[in-house]
Amino acid sequence: AAYLAHHGVDATETWLTGLKANLARKPGGGDRDGAKDILGGICDIAVANSYYVGLMRSNEKEPEQKAWGEAIKVLLPTFEGGGTHVNISGAALAKNAPNKAEAVQLLHAPPPGVPEAALQAREHPAWRRIKFDEVLAQQLSLRRAYLARREKGAPQLTAPGALGQQLIARLPFALTGAQRRVVDEIAQDLRQPYPMQRLLQGDVGSGKTIVAALAACQAIESGYQAAFMAPTEILAEQHYLKLKAWLEPLGVSVAWLTGSLKSAAKRAAQEQAAQGAQLVVGTHALIQESVDFVRLGLAIVDEQHRFGVQQRLALRQKGIDGRLCPHQLIMTATPIPRTLAMSAYADLDTSILDELPPGRTPVNTLVIADSRRLEVVERVRLACREGRQAYWVCTLIEESEELTCQAAET
């Protein structure tokens, strides 16, 4: 279906004919259903055979085949290959794994002798086959989205970097090696004629904000605007004050826009954005229909999991005359395992700040049983006596009939 939508009927018929002939030439392949059922057929090949699959070529000029190859590589840890082919080992899933039709039939009507425990635990080869199909379909959709995005236009932010170097020279600290690496990765993306979609992951205190500021400098120096959106007004204000202190001495105009601003101040901020304020910092207010940007080149979203997909897309859609899509940098402090990032975020490029600046104390996260609540209270009391600060977050303020969580008032 993806091939049909992308290439049209004639090309799809030609592709299917070649697929059918290719399968017929392979040992044990024959006239398989894969020529009629693309997803099921390709999965059958990948699971049940160990020969080179020409459809999974990693050729930049053939995006559909590239999507297949990248998806398979992520899903099957045991693969070999390089150049134009990928060798898929059936042992990566299970020996003698059933094809899709056999797996569905077995799960709906298990024959005598099939281990019930394996079915209940969803560990039977038939279950593994179904799981593989589902994850492959998801992976393919994300990789297709990734490749489709590269067909869209974006402003090429090719400034030499003088503004960023001025900012670095004024900082009271030196960038870490991880920050320099990530800044280079982002800078390279921003120079491309297609929109960047990069996830920046780093623990609290790892220096994501300065990385984002340097990305904004590249957009601003290239003659475009940057927008910085945070999920809460408190967090957005923290970013605004920090970015303003860094960039205004360099001659950068920084605007502030949130929903809580009074009407006159809100209209003034909207006019600033429409008239070319170089950096606009705010909350969800940035994606309202009444907010327009004249030359938005970069959209930065902090704590991206706090926003819905449509909210993030709404900021991207405020590009230049609907023609050029702004680059997007989304940031999170939530650790994302590599395997999850490769699957759930396969439509994104990923950068990781894996190094804390000197002098930063690592953040320890502990889970403590409710039975030890008094110990936690005592630790908080001691910290406050030492002049330190603590905050205690409760799920509810008042008791609720719908939720069983403990409320702050009780």
Side-chain angles (χ1 to χ4, degrees), residues 203-224:
D203 205 347
V204 174
S206 60
K208 296 186 294 296
T209 305
I210 185 60
V211 170
L214 290 168
C217 284
Q218 185 168 340
I220 293 165
E221 188 181 353
S222 300
Y224 291 86

mmCIF file of all heavy atoms in Angstrom, residues 203-224:
data_model
loop_
_atom_site.group_PDB
_atom_site.id
_atom_site.type_symbol
_atom_site.label_atom_id
_atom_site.label_comp_id
_atom_site.label_asym_id
_atom_site.label_seq_id
_atom_site.Cartn_x
_atom_site.Cartn_y
_atom_site.Cartn_z
ATOM 1 N N ASP A 203 20.038 14.660 30.619
ATOM 2 C CA ASP A 203 19.565 14.728 31.990
ATOM 3 C C ASP A 203 19.469 16.185 32.443
ATOM 4 O O ASP A 203 20.013 17.100 31.817
ATOM 5 C CB ASP A 203 20.525 13.964 32.903
ATOM 6 C CG ASP A 203 19.840 13.468 34.175
ATOM 7 O OD1 ASP A 203 18.716 13.925 34.453
ATOM 8 O OD2 ASP A 203 20.441 12.634 34.877
ATOM 9 N N VAL A 204 18.758 16.398 33.538
ATOM 10 C CA VAL A 204 18.675 17.739 34.118
ATOM 11 C C VAL A 204 20.093 18.229 34.433
ATOM 12 O O VAL A 204 20.888 17.515 35.039
ATOM 13 C CB VAL A 204 17.826 17.721 35.409
ATOM 14 C CG1 VAL A 204 17.851 19.078 36.088
ATOM 15 C CG2 VAL A 204 16.402 17.294 35.099
ATOM 16 N N GLY A 205 20.417 19.428 33.986
ATOM 17 C CA GLY A 205 21.745 19.982 34.237
ATOM 18 C C GLY A 205 22.793 19.634 33.205
ATOM 19 O O GLY A 205 23.954 20.021 33.339
ATOM 20 N N SER A 206 22.409 18.915 32.145
ATOM 21 C CA SER A 206 23.394 18.517 31.132
ATOM 22 C C SER A 206 23.668 19.623 30.125
ATOM 23 O O SER A 206 24.597 19.522 29.326
ATOM 24 C CB SER A 206 22.931 17.253 30.401
ATOM 25 O OG SER A 206 21.696 17.480 29.750
ATOM 26 N N GLY A 207 22.861 20.697 30.140
ATOM 27 C CA GLY A 207 23.141 21.839 29.268
ATOM 28 C C GLY A 207 22.373 21.846 27.969
ATOM 29 O O GLY A 207 22.905 22.277 26.938
ATOM 30 N N LYS A 208 21.104 21.425 27.994
ATOM 31 C CA LYS A 208 20.297 21.427 26.765
ATOM 32 C C LYS A 208 19.965 22.848 26.324
ATOM 33 O O LYS A 208 19.897 23.132 25.122
ATOM 34 C CB LYS A 208 19.004 20.632 26.986
ATOM 35 C CG LYS A 208 19.210 19.152 27.273
ATOM 36 C CD LYS A 208 17.892 18.403 27.326
ATOM 37 C CE LYS A 208 17.018 18.846 28.494
ATOM 38 N NZ LYS A 208 17.619 18.559 29.800
ATOM 39 N N THR A 209 19.762 23.756 27.281
ATOM 40 C CA THR A 209 19.315 25.110 26.924
ATOM 41 C C THR A 209 20.364 25.856 26.118
ATOM 42 O O THR A 209 20.034 26.540 25.141
ATOM 43 C CB THR A 209 18.959 25.902 28.197
ATOM 44 O OG1 THR A 209 17.997 25.174 28.964
ATOM 45 C CG2 THR A 209 18.364 27.250 27.833
ATOM 46 N N ILE A 210 21.634 25.749 26.483
ATOM 47 C CA ILE A 210 22.659 26.454 25.724
ATOM 48 C C ILE A 210 22.810 25.853 24.333
ATOM 49 O O ILE A 210 23.072 26.565 23.349
ATOM 50 C CB ILE A 210 24.020 26.453 26.478
ATOM 51 C CG1 ILE A 210 25.040 27.311 25.729
ATOM 52 C CG2 ILE A 210 24.548 25.040 26.658
ATOM 53 C CD1 ILE A 210 24.639 28.747 25.560
ATOM 54 N N VAL A 211 22.599 24.550 24.217
ATOM 55 C CA VAL A 211 22.626 23.914 22.891
ATOM 56 C C VAL A 211 21.502 24.478 22.023
ATOM 57 O O VAL A 211 21.702 24.811 20.851
ATOM 58 C CB VAL A 211 22.503 22.381 23.018
ATOM 59 C CG1 VAL A 211 22.291 21.739 21.648
ATOM 60 C CG2 VAL A 211 23.749 21.800 23.670
ATOM 61 N N ALA A 212 20.305 24.604 22.618
ATOM 62 C CA ALA A 212 19.178 25.174 21.887
ATOM 63 C C ALA A 212 19.446 26.629 21.522
ATOM 64 O O ALA A 212 19.098 27.088 20.425
ATOM 65 C CB ALA A 212 17.905 25.056 22.725
ATOM 66 N N ALA A 213 20.069 27.379 22.437
ATOM 67 C CA ALA A 213 20.377 28.785 22.167
ATOM 68 C C ALA A 213 21.340 28.920 20.995
ATOM 69 O O ALA A 213 21.195 29.820 20.152
ATOM 70 C CB ALA A 213 20.972 29.431 23.421
ATOM 71 N N LEU A 214 22.317 28.038 20.905
ATOM 72 C CA LEU A 214 23.268 28.089 19.797
ATOM 73 C C LEU A 214 22.603 27.721 18.481
ATOM 74 O O LEU A 214 22.941 28.267 17.417
ATOM 75 C CB LEU A 214 24.457 27.170 20.084
ATOM 76 C CG LEU A 214 25.375 27.658 21.214
ATOM 77 C CD1 LEU A 214 26.351 26.570 21.638
ATOM 78 C CD2 LEU A 214 26.131 28.908 20.773
ATOM 79 N N ALA A 215 21.634 26.790 18.538
ATOM 80 C CA ALA A 215 20.863 26.472 17.325
ATOM 81 C C ALA A 215 20.053 27.691 16.895
ATOM 82 O O ALA A 215 19.971 28.017 15.699
ATOM 83 C CB ALA A 215 19.950 25.280 17.588
ATOM 84 N N ALA A 216 19.448 28.389 17.879
ATOM 85 C CA ALA A 216 18.690 29.601 17.573
ATOM 86 C C ALA A 216 19.603 30.669 16.963
ATOM 87 O O ALA A 216 19.201 31.395 16.047
ATOM 88 C CB ALA A 216 18.021 30.128 18.838
ATOM 89 N N CYS A 217 20.839 30.756 17.456
ATOM 90 C CA CYS A 217 21.790 31.723 16.902
ATOM 91 C C CYS A 217 22.049 31.455 15.417
ATOM 92 O O CYS A 217 22.154 32.399 14.618
ATOM 93 C CB CYS A 217 23.109 31.659 17.669
ATOM 94 S SG CYS A 217 23.061 32.450 19.302
ATOM 95 N N GLN A 218 22.138 30.191 15.045
ATOM 96 C CA GLN A 218 22.376 29.863 13.638
ATOM 97 C C GLN A 218 21.194 30.299 12.777
ATOM 98 O O GLN A 218 21.376 30.815 11.669
ATOM 99 C CB GLN A 218 22.628 28.368 13.476
ATOM 100 C CG GLN A 218 22.993 27.972 12.049
ATOM 101 C CD GLN A 218 23.514 26.550 11.958
ATOM 102 O OE1 GLN A 218 23.960 25.966 12.949
ATOM 103 N NE2 GLN A 218 23.481 25.977 10.762
ATOM 104 N N ALA A 219 19.971 30.102 13.288
ATOM 105 C CA ALA A 219 18.782 30.536 12.548
ATOM 106 C C ALA A 219 18.739 32.060 12.440
ATOM 107 O O ALA A 219 18.481 32.619 11.364
ATOM 108 C CB ALA A 219 17.530 30.007 13.238
ATOM 109 N N ILE A 220 19.006 32.740 13.551
ATOM 110 C CA ILE A 220 18.917 34.201 13.584
ATOM 111 C C ILE A 220 19.981 34.831 12.685
ATOM 112 O O ILE A 220 19.713 35.755 11.909
ATOM 113 C CB ILE A 220 19.057 34.700 15.037
ATOM 114 C CG1 ILE A 220 17.837 34.259 15.857
ATOM 115 C CG2 ILE A 220 19.230 36.211 15.091
ATOM 116 C CD1 ILE A 220 18.018 34.383 17.352
ATOM 117 N N GLU A 221 21.210 34.309 12.767
ATOM 118 C CA GLU A 221 22.283 34.848 11.932
ATOM 119 C C GLU A 221 22.011 34.618 10.450
ATOM 120 O O GLU A 221 22.474 35.386 9.596
ATOM 121 C CB GLU A 221 23.621 34.219 12.326
ATOM 122 C CG GLU A 221 24.820 34.863 11.649
ATOM 123 C CD GLU A 221 26.136 34.195 12.036
ATOM 124 O OE1 GLU A 221 26.133 33.311 12.933
ATOM 125 O OE2 GLU A 221 27.160 34.561 11.435
ATOM 126 N N SER A 222 21.231 33.580 10.148
ATOM 127 C CA SER A 222 20.878 33.285 8.755
ATOM 128 C C SER A 222 19.701 34.115 8.264
ATOM 129 O O SER A 222 19.264 33.954 7.124
ATOM 130 C CB SER A 222 20.550 31.790 8.612
ATOM 131 O OG SER A 222 21.653 30.982 8.962
ATOM 132 N N GLY A 223 19.162 34.985 9.137
ATOM 133 C CA GLY A 223 18.083 35.866 8.729
ATOM 134 C C GLY A 223 16.691 35.340 9.005
ATOM 135 O O GLY A 223 15.712 35.838 8.435
ATOM 136 N N TYR A 224 16.580 34.348 9.878
ATOM 137 C CA TYR A 224 15.283 33.749 10.196
ATOM 138 C C TYR A 224 14.964 33.911 11.675
ATOM 139 O O TYR A 224 15.821 34.277 12.481
ATOM 140 C CB TYR A 224 15.274 32.270 9.810
ATOM 141 C CG TYR A 224 15.316 32.041 8.323
ATOM 142 C CD1 TYR A 224 16.536 31.989 7.648
ATOM 143 C CD2 TYR A 224 14.154 31.891 7.582
ATOM 144 C CE1 TYR A 224 16.593 31.799 6.283
ATOM 145 C CE2 TYR A 224 14.183 31.694 6.210
ATOM 146 C CZ TYR A 224 15.412 31.649 5.571
ATOM 147 O OH TYR A 224 15.461 31.459 4.215
#
